[in-house]
C-alpha cells in the first residue's frame, strides 16, 4: 500500500504525537465541477456528454488493465510468483494525522488544490467524479458522538439540505430534483460508529428562460449525479467524506466508490 506523506510533518511545532508516520496535505476545492458555458441546444449536448463519460470510463479501465498486464509481464520475467501480480494495489492511502482522518482512493486520481474542503481528489478523465473531506470546527460546535445528529435518516436529511444549499442558483428557470436513496450505520474495525448516506440530485434548466410563453420554456436535464457521504465524529468534530459521480457511470464505478467509503476512518489527535 502506497501512503502519501505531508510536508507538515517536517515542522516540529505543528506536529502532534501520533503512532503513525504519515501526515497531512493542504486545502481543497469545491466538490462541484467548474461549469462550462451554457449550450444552445442542451438535449443533444447532454446525450453527447453522457456518451463521452461512458467512453472515458471504459478507456480508463482499458488503460489500467494495460498497465496491470505490463506489470504482470515484468513480474514473470523477474521469475516472481504469480500471486505477487494478483496483489498489485490499485488504491493509495491518504493519512492526515494532523487533522485526524484517513481513507483510500484510486491510484490514478489526482489531488486538486484550491478552496472549500480540507482535501480534494478528482478522476483525471471523468471530471465530475471526485471526493473531498470536510470537518467542523470545535470552536463552533462540539460533537460527542454521531447520535448528536440523530438517527441515520435524520443525518441523511441534513446531508441533503447541505447539498441543495451548495447548489442554489440565481439563474432563471433552474430546478433541482433530489431523493435520499439510502441511509445506514455501521461500526468499523476501529470501533467507531459511521453513518452512510446516498442521495441523487438532478438539475433541470429551461432552454429559453426569458421566453414570455410557458410553452416556449422547455426544461432540459443538465446533469444527474449520485452523492455518497460517510460521517464520523472524533476530536469534538464532525467529519464528512463526500463522493460524487454521474449516475450514468455509477454502476461501473460502484465497487471502487464503496471501497473508498468503507476505508474512511477518524482517529484521535
Amino acid at each position: 500500500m502506497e501512503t502519501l506523506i505531508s510536508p507538515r510533518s517536517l515542522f516540529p511545532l505543528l506536529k502532534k504525537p501520533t503512532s503513525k508516520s504519515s501526515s497531512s496535505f493542504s486545502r481543497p476545492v469545491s466538490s462541484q465541477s467548474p461549469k462550462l458555458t451554457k449550450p444552445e441546444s442542451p438535449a443533444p449536448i447532454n446525450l453527447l456528454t453522457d456518451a463521452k463519460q461512458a467512453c472515458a470510463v471504459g478507456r480508463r479501465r482499458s488503460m489500467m488493465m494495460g498497465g496491470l498486464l505490463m506489470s504482470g509481464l515484468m513480474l514473470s520475467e523477474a521469475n516472481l510468483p504469480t500471486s505477487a501480480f494478483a496483489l498489485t494495489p490499485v488504491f493509495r492511502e491518504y493519512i492526515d494525522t494532523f487533522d485526524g482522518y484517513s481513507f483510500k482512493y484510486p491510484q490514478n486520481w489526482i489531488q486538486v488544490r484550491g478552496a472549500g474542503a480540507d482535501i480534494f481528489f478528482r478522476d483525471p478523465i471523468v471530471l465530475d467524479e471526485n471526493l473531498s473531506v470536510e470537518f467542523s470546527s470545535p470552536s463552533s460546535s462540539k460533537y460527542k458522538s454521531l447520535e448528536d445528529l440523530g438517527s441515520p435518516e435524520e443525518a441523511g436529511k441534513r446531508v441533503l439540505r447541505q447539498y441543495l444549499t451548495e447548489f442554489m442558483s440565481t439563474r432563471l428557470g433552474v430546478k433541482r430534483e433530489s431523493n435520499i436513496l439510502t441511509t445506514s450505520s455501521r461500526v468499523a474495525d476501529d470501533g467507531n460508529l459511521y453513518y452512510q448516506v446516498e442521495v441523487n440530485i438532478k438539475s433541470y434548466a429551461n432552454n429559453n428562460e426569458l421566453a414570455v410563453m410557458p410553452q416556449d420554456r422547455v426544461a432540459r436535464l443538465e446533469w444527474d449525479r449520485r452523492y455518497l457521504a460517510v460521517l464520523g465524529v472524533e476530536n469534538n468534530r464532525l467529519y464528512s467524506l463526500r463522493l460524487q459521480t454521474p449516475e450514468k457511470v455509477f454502476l461501473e464505478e460502484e465497487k471502487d466508490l464503496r471501497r473508498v467509503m468503507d476505508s474512511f476512518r477518524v482517529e484521535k489527535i
Side-chain angles (χ1 to χ4, degrees):
M1 179 64 64
E2 189 174 349
T3 303
L4 299 181
I5 301 177
S6 167
R8 276 193 280 186
S9 62
L10 301 178
F11 296 88
L13 292 178
L14 294 179
K15 186 174 181 182
K16 290 183 171 60
T18 177
S19 59
K20 299 184 179 290
S21 59
S22 305
S23 293
S24 61
F25 277 94
S26 58
R27 318 302 288 179
V29 297
S30 169
S31 61
Q32 188 174 8
S33 306
K35 183 168 180 64
L36 303 176
T37 55
K38 184 178 179 182
E40 296 180 359
S41 180
I45 295 292
N46 284 334
L47 293 175
L48 180 60
T49 301
D50 293 338
K52 285 182 177 178
Q53 290 175 341
C55 292
V57 172
R59 185 166 59 254
R60 182 181 64 199
R61 295 284 186 185
S62 300
M63 292 171 62
M64 293 177 63
M65 288 302 299
L68 292 175
L69 289 173
M70 182 61 69
S71 300
L73 178 60
M74 294 172 64
L75 289 171
S76 298
E77 291 177 352
N79 296 321
L80 294 177
T82 55
S83 59
F85 169 61
L87 296 176
T88 301
V90 295
F91 278 72
R92 292 179 179 175
E93 186 173 24
Y94 181 85
I95 303 176
D96 188 335
T97 54
F98 187 85
D99 293 312
Y101 66 87
S102 65
F103 60 88
K104 296 175 183 178
Y105 65 98
Q107 63 178 357
N108 64 316
W109 285 25
I110 58 176
Q111 182 180 353
V112 180
R113 301 180 184 277
D118 188 63
I119 192 70
F120 187 95
F121 284 94
R122 166 176 286 166
D123 188 314
I125 298 177
V126 183
L127 298 183
D128 282 342
E129 191 168 86
N130 53 61
L131 71 84
S132 62
V133 174
E134 300 177 353
F135 48 82
S136 62
S137 171
S139 61
S140 59
S141 58
K142 294 185 181 296
Y143 291 89
K144 299 302 181 182
S145 68
L146 275 178
E147 280 80 2
D148 293 342
L149 301 178
S151 65
E153 292 75 18
E154 292 171 321
K157 295 177 181 178
R158 173 185 176 135
V159 169
L160 180 57
R161 285 196 302 269
Q162 182 178 356
Y163 279 125
L164 294 178
T165 299
E166 294 174 359
F167 296 149
M168 289 181 64
S169 175
T170 57
R171 291 184 299 144
L172 297 176
V174 174
K175 178 184 177 182
R176 312 284 196 213
E177 288 186 0
S178 61
N179 292 289
I180 299 176
L181 302 178
T182 63
T183 59
S184 61
S185 63
R186 65 182 176 88
V187 177
D189 54 11
D190 61 353
N192 288 326
L193 176 66
Y194 296 89
Y195 286 172
Q196 294 185 344
V197 178
E198 296 183 32
V199 302
N200 170 263
I201 302 179
K202 297 180 177 66
S203 176
Y204 295 88
N206 292 335
N207 62 338
N208 187 5
E209 63 272 13
L210 298 179
V212 177
M213 303 302 294
Q215 61 268 24
D216 295 330
R217 299 192 297 270
V218 180
R220 305 289 187 184
L221 179 66
E222 288 187 307
W223 46 261
D224 181 7
R225 297 173 186 156
R226 177 79 61 101
Y227 294 91
L228 307 100
V230 183
L231 308 177
V233 169
E234 191 62 271
N235 307 308
N236 296 324
R237 296 173 172 178
L238 173 63
Y239 292 81
S240 176
L241 170 75
R242 309 203 307 178
L243 287 157
Q244 169 187 294
T245 187
E247 279 287 355
K248 289 290 184 180
V249 301
F250 173 72
L251 291 179
E252 188 169 354
E253 299 290 283
E254 182 178 7
K255 183 177 180 180
D256 290 346
L257 296 175
R258 296 205 183 281
R259 180 171 177 181
V260 175
M261 295 175 69
D262 293 341
S263 71
F264 185 58
R265 298 290 185 272
V266 295
E267 59 186 44
K268 288 186 179 298
I269 54 176

